[in-house]
Amino acid sequence: PGAPAAGMRRRRRLQQEDGISFEYHRYPELREALVSVWLQCTAISRIYTVGRSFEGRELLVIELSDNPGVHEPGEPEFKYIGNMHGNEAVGRELLIFLAQYLCNEYQKGNETIVKLIHNTRIHIMPSLNPDGFEKAASQPGELKDWFVGRSNAQGIDLNRNFPDLDRIVYVNEKEGGPNNHLLKNLKKIVDQNTKLAPETKAVIHWIMDIPFVLSANLHGGDLVANYPYDETRSGSAHEYSSCPDDAIFQSLARAYSAFNPPMSDPNRPPCRKNDDDSSFIDGTTNGAAWYSVPGGMQDFNYLSSNCFEITVELSCEKFPPEETLKSYWEDNKNSLISYLEQIHRGVKGFVRDLQGNPIANASISVEGIDHDVTSAKDGDYWRLLVPGNYKLTASAPGYLAITKKVAVPYSPAIGVDFELESFSERKEEEKEELMEWWKMMSETLNF
Amino acid sequence: MGFLWTGTWILVLVLQSSPVQAFPKPGGSQDKPLHNSELSAERPLNEQIAEAEADKIKKTYPPENNPGESNYSFVDNLNLLKAITEKENIEKERQSIRSSPYDNKLNVEDVDSTKNRRLTDDYDSTKSGLNHKLQDDPDGLHQLDGTPLTAEDIVQKIATRIYEENDRGVFDKIVSKLLNLGLITESQAHTLEDEVAEVLQKLISKEANTYEEEPNKPTSVTESRAGKIPEKVTPMAAIQDGLTNGQNDETVSNTLTLTNGLERRTKIYNEDNFEELQYFPNFYALLKSIDSEKEAKEKETLITIMKTLIDFVKMMVKYGTISPEEGVSYLENLDETIALQTKSKLEKNVTDNKSKLFPAPSEKSHEETDSTKEEAAKMEKEYGTLKDSTKDDNPRGKTDAPKGKTEAYLEAIRKNIEWLKKHNKKGNKEDYDLSKMRDFINQQADVYVEKGILDKEEADAIKRIYSSL
């Protein structure tokens, strides 16, 4: 299990299924595996890098979509990120397997997968901390432990390294203030912040560049799907701290855990004898209820962008033996697909002006939920919601807001477009109306 | 034995000076002027006689540069040899070459006898009995019209020796020694084997015809083909004379009993166009072990697969997709793989070694009897193997990572092409345009190299694979 590099390579072709080799991939093998997927599925995939780790390894992403490299207006963007703690290895491997699996299934004509790939832009980053992984993987067998390789090469725990927006939102909740996109002057802040690891910076830029809608962040060390908020409101060690979208997040987390038998097994004993898993329900947990995490990537997504992210803990053991990888795949593959499909829920559409031009950065608010999303460059927006009746309001500076009522089923997403009238247009209209009235008056009264 | 050595040395010297090329490009060697025109001295009588003899044999191997021919590599190797010897033509006199067996320089026209002598000189003293016969070996290496007889005569010589010695193992030993010393390449060794075997076959059949009245002969020939015990042969001199003078009578003794390898070879030679398959001793062993009567179809299938593989590799080399060394390595690897598979199967199932000797490939062979596409897939997979072993940045042996990587890439590309073809047939969406795909891939590969997603090497390999499709 997790033997030195040579050992891993020697066992390379031990377990294989349809191009998926169930073994640990070091950095070269990771790259190779992604290249193989790209070569096999050139029409629907693309590899890119969001930047480099501290030691210079590319933070590789493989994108799967029917038009790779392009954001198609109206097509939601999804991401999976694994191995942000380098010694939490299962997520990294699952994502490599997933990429290959999606490619294979697409070519086999698997309807679910074909539909997903045609209607979603799926980004898969198997490892956000390749440096940490190398360190962890180099540990001989039994010595793989809870800490070595967890942080990046600088010793920074990436999941504590993001700007802490939870604190800001808690203040805003009390005193008023924005409920979304809390990181103002983002670029400047990020680039000038010396405390941010290169991996963290890269991800932040990535989040800002692509209008992600849904995401999951894969970890290890336990078996649960964790959702926002991660940090307790009061500052205590454990406290259920719900975010405005608690309902949909519970649904999203369940959509993952329900398909993972051990994760959703109510009778499963905790990973370690003295673990407190009292907050776990149906394989899900509110982050802060489990334990408080400040500066995490999950909440950063929710509070700085439109992206809803959950954290999935995939394995009691952080770096389990290679022989177990196949069974982890079996336990998770349906969950990974199910979670992907969640992106096609709620409401989606376009915000345009009266001439049909897209209005970017319009706000879409939902009555009763204190969290707004914004429209992307093409005016497109996506608002994940659990089934129910809602009032959606689209607004943008210089435009008159419009509210629409929507009945939302479980899925698929309901399309709702907004055509906003700008103030000046309204002024013109009013002016015209006034002129009309004046004309009528003058005719009647013989001015 | 001595003759074997000598002959081999001759060929070695001829081959050694070639720019290492197992599969010379078509038309390349055609440009070389006929070396004969540079002959300046009258050749000894026996040489001329030998030449005449070789001429006869040569008729079955018309020089062709048609790349599609199955004997392409054979013929071109001959051309190559011719070209090489031509190159070295000026440099040495016949008598002077005897000095160093490893000497790279060659005088074309004198190459035979000097090579003979050299070989004899260096020949293992334990086989001394046959040494001196070679010294006078009048192998004629030219023909007046300049056709590539040099190699053929050498080959003939070697074949004769094998014939006489009844022991192909000696040849093997010599060749492997030469290979280890880097004097010849694998492909050259294979070519040599190939050619020797063919000549041998001719000898055998000739003898069979000539000596029908001798009770042993024809039957022994056929029986030996069926795989019987070798017997010692008659004196070299007689054979030698026989060869050169067409008077093979005395020499073809009763047994044309050959070793297994030769029997295999001749047996297979009797079937169509299998000379290239003689590159693969293990494959041969496999084929031989398959009972012709019962499983003729399977045998045929295997042979077809191998031939297709060989053609594929040749084509790849021809088009520059892979280098000749890679082609050779691939073929070697292939044979080794067969050997391993065979061995492991035999170990598994001692009694029944027929249909199970080809475990992995046979899975494919079932499919491949049905479709050339899958055959191509196998080829490509093997090609991937080939690519890896030649780009071995990991000194870990053939089953390891580098081999796996290119194999994986090749497999991925194959799946992609397959899917594209299928997808277009069904949907009629876009025309499946290979050249467009190729351009796209080339472009993307470059982008990826820039971004650090691909190594330059990998990108080149990928581009090459696509350009060869």
Side-chain angles (χ1 to χ4, degrees):
Chain A
M8 278 189 214
R9 285 175 195 144
R10 248 179 269 121
R11 280 197 295 274
R12 186 181 186 83
R13 298 271 175 246
L14 255 193
Q15 297 193 78
Q16 245 237 48
E17 190 181 287
D18 212 356
I20 300 177
S21 57
F22 295 105
E23 56 190 14
Y24 280 113
H25 294 65
R26 300 289 282 262
Y27 181 72
E29 289 93 38
L30 161 58
R31 199 175 52 78
E32 225 176 274
L34 296 183
V35 171
S36 295
V37 173
W38 170 65
L39 285 173
Q40 181 182 337
C41 286
T42 319
I44 58 163
S45 69
R46 181 180 78 103
I47 302 176
Y48 64 97
T49 164
V50 300
R52 288 205 182 139
S53 70
F54 184 74
E55 286 177 348
R57 294 180 176 88
E58 297 295 343
L59 302 173
L60 294 171
V61 178
I62 184 163
E63 171 197 338
L64 288 134
S65 115
D66 56 348
N67 205 343
V70 174
H71 171 81
E72 293 178 307
E75 187 179 61
E77 309 248 5
F78 181 99
K79 64 173 157 61
Y80 269 127
I81 300 180
N83 195 222
M84 122 188 259
H85 290 142
N87 62 342
E88 294 171 15
V90 176
R92 174 188 174 111
E93 297 305 324
L94 289 185
L95 293 180
I96 296 171
F97 305 158
L98 178 65
Q100 183 70 64
Y101 176 79
L102 290 173
C103 169
N104 292 344
E105 292 299 303
Y106 184 85
Q107 290 189 331
K108 287 182 196 167
N110 178 327
E111 276 177 37
T112 306
I113 306 299
V114 170
K115 208 165 148 208
L116 260 176
I117 288 179
H118 284 180
N119 297 310
T120 326
R121 203 170 159 217
I122 303 166
H123 304 255
I124 296 173
M125 179 193 277
S127 176
L128 178 51
N129 186 1
D131 299 349
F133 180 81
E134 294 300 316
K135 211 179 274 168
S138 308
Q139 299 270 88
E142 292 67 45
L143 283 185
K144 282 202 177 39
D145 70 5
W146 218 246
F147 299 108
V148 175
R150 173 188 173 87
S151 53
N152 84 337
Q154 300 164 298
I156 295 175
D157 182 338
L158 297 176
N159 208 30
R160 303 287 185 277
N161 190 227
F162 285 79
D164 185 353
L165 302 178
D166 289 34
R167 288 264 75 82
I168 300 176
V169 87
Y170 292 155
V171 166
N172 290 356
E173 280 171 358
K174 286 193 216 144
E175 300 174 7
N179 65 13
N180 67 95
H181 291 81
L182 296 181
L183 200 60
K184 299 296 174 222
N185 299 319
L186 184 71
K187 203 162 189 335
K188 189 161 161 241
I189 288 176
V190 168
D191 293 338
Q192 290 177 2
N193 187 336
T194 53
K195 293 207 187 106
L196 293 180
E199 295 90 346
T200 310
K201 284 192 184 160
V203 167
I204 295 177
H205 284 298
W206 193 30
I207 290 172
M208 298 304 136
D209 285 345
I210 296 182
F212 289 110
V213 175
L214 183 63
S215 170
N217 172 10
L218 306 184
H219 286 245
D222 218 304
L223 207 51
V224 72
N226 171 117
Y227 53 87
Y229 286 126
D230 262 344
E231 195 181 335
T232 55
R233 265 189 190 85
S234 64
S236 65
H238 317 264
E239 182 188 74
Y240 196 109
S241 304
S242 61
C243 73
D245 281 291
D246 194 60
I248 183 67
F249 270 115
Q250 284 192 29
S251 179
L252 293 170
R254 231 170 246 129
Y256 192 96
S257 67
F259 290 91
N260 180 324
M263 198 183 282
S264 53
D265 177 359
N267 301 318
R268 178 179 68 81
C271 286
R272 287 151 291 273
K273 210 169 107 184
N274 297 323
D275 277 359
D276 177 9
D277 61 353
S278 51
S279 63
F280 293 11
I281 303 172
D282 297 341
T284 72
T285 182
N286 169 263
W290 185 21
Y291 66 97
S292 186
V293 168
M297 185 165 70
Q298 169 194 280
D299 288 0
F300 181 84
N301 270 278
Y302 182 70
L303 293 173
S304 73
S305 77
N306 295 317
C307 185
F308 287 15
E309 178 167 293
I310 67 171
T311 304
V312 186
E313 301 276 349
L314 296 164
S315 56
C316 288
E317 221 182 316
K318 292 195 173 195
F319 208 136
E322 190 171 73
E323 298 81 67
T324 59
L325 286 176
K326 184 163 199 277
S327 75
Y328 278 111
W329 169 247
E330 294 303 324
D331 283 346
N332 283 283
K333 77 178 185 205
N334 295 326
S335 295
L336 290 166
I337 303 296
S338 157
Y339 188 72
L340 259 167
E341 291 180 300
Q342 301 301 301
I343 205 173
H344 298 286
R345 285 180 69 181
V347 184
K348 65 169 184 177
F350 287 84
V351 181
R352 298 188 182 98
D353 66 17
L354 289 181
Q355 285 72 47
N357 302 315
I359 300 176
N361 223 22
S363 268
I364 291 93
S365 59
V366 179
E367 191 180 70
I369 300 180
D370 188 17
H371 182 83
D372 303 345
V373 298
T374 58
S375 61
K377 290 196 198 105
D378 299 300
D380 39 355
Y381 78 94
W382 306 264
R383 191 35 167 116
L384 295 170
L385 293 167
V386 293
N389 296 311
Y390 298 90
K391 285 195 195 146
L392 253 69
T393 303
S395 62
Y399 290 87
L400 292 158
I402 292 183
T403 302
K404 295 198 177 185
K405 283 193 194 160
V406 189
V408 174
Y410 180 83
S411 90
I414 295 287
V416 177
D417 293 342
F418 295 87
E419 281 76 39
L420 302 186
E421 186 182 25
S422 69
F423 288 149
S424 53
E425 279 165 332
R426 169 54 64 96
K427 264 202 203 118
E428 281 304 310
E429 258 182 59
E430 287 173 352
K431 208 159 139 195
E432 271 174 40
E433 278 176 26
L434 200 60
M435 291 304 289
E436 285 290 322
W437 178 86
W438 180 253
K439 202 161 145 202
M440 185 192 72
M441 285 302 288
S442 55
E443 279 166 10
T444 311
L445 299 172
N446 241 342
F447 288 179
Chain B
M1 292 288 214
F3 302 131
L4 255 172
W5 279 98
T6 306
T8 311
W9 279 113
I10 293 170
L11 188 56
V12 164
L13 295 166
V14 171
L15 296 174
Q16 197 179 345
S17 50
S18 75
V20 191
Q21 252 198 341
F23 300 99
K25 308 255 183 310
S29 40
Q30 288 285 19
D31 301 331
K32 311 281 182 183
L34 303 176
H35 61 258
N36 266 337
S37 56
E38 289 161 280
L39 292 181
S40 51
E42 164 87 23
R43 287 171 291 130
L45 179 63
N46 47 10
E47 233 189 38
Q48 293 178 31
I49 294 168
E51 187 183 292
E53 184 61 34
D55 205 3
K56 212 169 16 157
I57 292 176
K58 180 201 164 294
K59 280 196 191 115
T60 58
Y61 306 106
E64 288 171 349
N65 270 326
N66 186 342
E69 293 293 318
S70 61
N71 60 350
Y72 161 71
S73 63
F74 167 78
V75 172
D76 268 44
N77 274 314
L78 291 182
N79 289 339
L80 173 67
L81 293 173
K82 176 187 101 173
I84 294 157
T85 58
E86 209 181 292
K87 254 192 211 170
E88 305 300 340
N89 178 26
I90 316 115
E91 305 185 53
K92 289 258 193 204
E93 289 300 307
R94 172 181 298 212
Q95 281 71 21
S96 63
I97 300 177
R98 124 198 301 268
S99 46
S100 151
Y102 300 90
D103 193 329
N104 210 358
K105 304 191 192 85
L106 270 175
N107 183 326
V108 158
E109 103 180 61
D110 301 316
V111 81
D112 309 286
S113 54
T114 51
K115 278 187 279 187
N116 286 345
R117 283 195 282 273
R118 202 177 318 184
L119 190 56
T120 318
D121 287 348
D122 294 295
Y123 184 66
D124 183 345
S125 61
T126 60
K127 318 261 184 201
S128 55
L130 304 165
N131 283 357
H132 301 288
K133 313 292 181 176
L134 287 176
Q135 292 204 348
D136 302 321
D137 185 352
D139 278 354
L141 293 178
H142 307 301
Q143 211 181 25
L144 287 169
D145 62 356
T147 47
L149 287 186
T150 303
E152 281 180 312
D153 279 304
I154 298 164
V155 167
Q156 193 181 321
K157 206 70 190 161
I158 298 170
T160 313
R161 273 133 228 169
I162 297 171
Y163 182 14
E164 295 157 13
E165 292 290 317
N166 249 340
D167 182 5
R168 188 186 168 272
V170 173
F171 180 75
D172 282 340
K173 268 188 260 169
I174 297 163
V175 169
S176 61
K177 188 169 178 186
L178 293 169
L179 289 170
N180 290 337
L181 293 167
L183 291 173
I184 62 174
T185 68
E186 294 273 11
S187 62
Q188 289 162 344
H190 288 307
T191 310
L192 174 61
E193 255 187 349
D194 184 0
E195 293 157 21
V196 165
E198 279 161 345
V199 172
L200 203 39
Q201 178 56 29
K202 294 235 168 275
L203 284 177
I204 294 163
S205 20
K206 198 195 309 192
E207 296 317 323
N209 291 338
T210 321
Y211 293 101
E212 286 200 344
E213 64 278 0
E214 276 202 54
N216 274 346
K217 226 139 268 97
T219 45
S220 71
V221 168
T222 29
E223 277 169 71
S224 70
R225 286 194 198 135
K228 294 246 161 69
I229 317 145
E231 248 184 74
K232 268 309 181 185
V233 295
T234 55
M236 293 296 269
I239 291 169
Q240 186 176 337
D241 291 340
L243 266 183
T244 58
N245 299 320
Q247 298 159 11
N248 300 330
D249 308 4
E250 317 78 354
T251 63
V252 180
S253 73
N254 324 304
T255 9
L256 251 202
T257 40
L258 310 162
T259 56
N260 283 348
L262 291 173
E263 284 164 352
R264 273 203 306 272
R265 202 156 275 138
T266 54
K267 176 151 74 165
I268 286 160
Y269 180 78
N270 285 332
E271 306 173 30
D272 294 334
N273 289 333
F274 288 152
E275 51 269 16
E276 292 151 342
L277 293 174
Q278 299 165 25
Y279 285 70
F280 305 93
N282 292 300
F283 178 65
Y284 275 168
L286 173 64
L287 279 183
K288 182 168 178 274
S289 70
I290 295 175
D291 186 319
S292 282
E293 293 83 40
K294 286 190 210 161
E295 291 169 275
K297 186 154 192 273
E298 171 165 334
K299 194 166 184 168
E300 217 177 275
T301 305
L302 288 172
I303 289 167
T304 310
I305 290 169
M306 286 301 276
K307 283 190 61 56
T308 318
L309 268 170
I310 294 163
D311 284 340
F312 177 72
V313 171
K314 286 199 296 200
M315 204 172 56
M316 301 283 263
V317 173
K318 176 189 157 204
Y319 288 113
T321 304
I322 60 178
S323 70
E325 293 82 15
E326 290 167 339
V328 166
S329 289
Y330 161 59
L331 294 172
E332 290 163 36
N333 290 346
L334 184 58
D335 197 50
E336 264 199 46
T337 309
I338 294 168
L340 284 170
Q341 302 275 15
T342 308
K343 181 166 181 259
S344 67
K345 273 297 177 182
L346 283 173
E347 282 162 3
K348 252 198 245 174
N349 190 347
V350 176
T351 51
D352 180 9
N353 67 354
K354 288 198 176 164
S355 53
K356 297 187 188 149
L357 273 177
F358 230 47
S362 69
E363 291 157 15
K364 290 182 204 123
S365 73
H366 294 312
E367 300 162 6
E368 281 162 333
T369 44
D370 301 332
S371 104
T372 49
K373 181 178 75 171
E374 282 160 312
E375 209 166 38
K378 181 185 175 210
M379 282 188 252
E380 286 170 357
K381 185 165 184 194
E382 304 287 8
Y383 170 67
T385 306
L386 152 70
K387 294 295 297 177
D388 293 324
S389 65
T390 56
K391 289 183 192 299
D392 195 0
D393 32 4
N394 266 318
R396 274 192 299 257
K398 303 209 165 92
T399 53
D400 278 325
K403 192 169 177 182
K405 165 165 90 172
T406 318
E407 186 183 290
Y409 287 0
L410 195 57
E411 182 65 13
I413 291 172
R414 182 190 68 78
K415 285 184 185 164
N416 190 17
I417 302 293
E418 238 182 79
W419 179 81
L420 282 167
K421 283 188 182 148
K422 201 165 41 152
H423 181 75
N424 272 319
K425 239 183 273 175
K426 282 185 196 168
N428 292 328
K429 279 178 197 168
E430 297 169 353
D431 284 339
Y432 163 53
D433 190 343
L434 181 57
S435 66
K436 252 196 234 157
M437 173 64 69
R438 199 182 302 150
D439 291 338
F440 174 72
I441 295 286
N442 282 347
Q443 194 191 45
Q444 275 297 85
D446 289 334
V447 170
Y448 282 4
V449 169
E450 246 180 277
K451 307 249 165 161
I453 293 167
L454 274 180
D455 294 337
K456 186 88 183 56
E457 248 183 42
E458 288 173 310
D460 289 340
I462 290 167
K463 285 187 200 173
R464 265 192 305 192
I465 293 174
Y466 264 95
S467 65
S468 73
L469 290 172

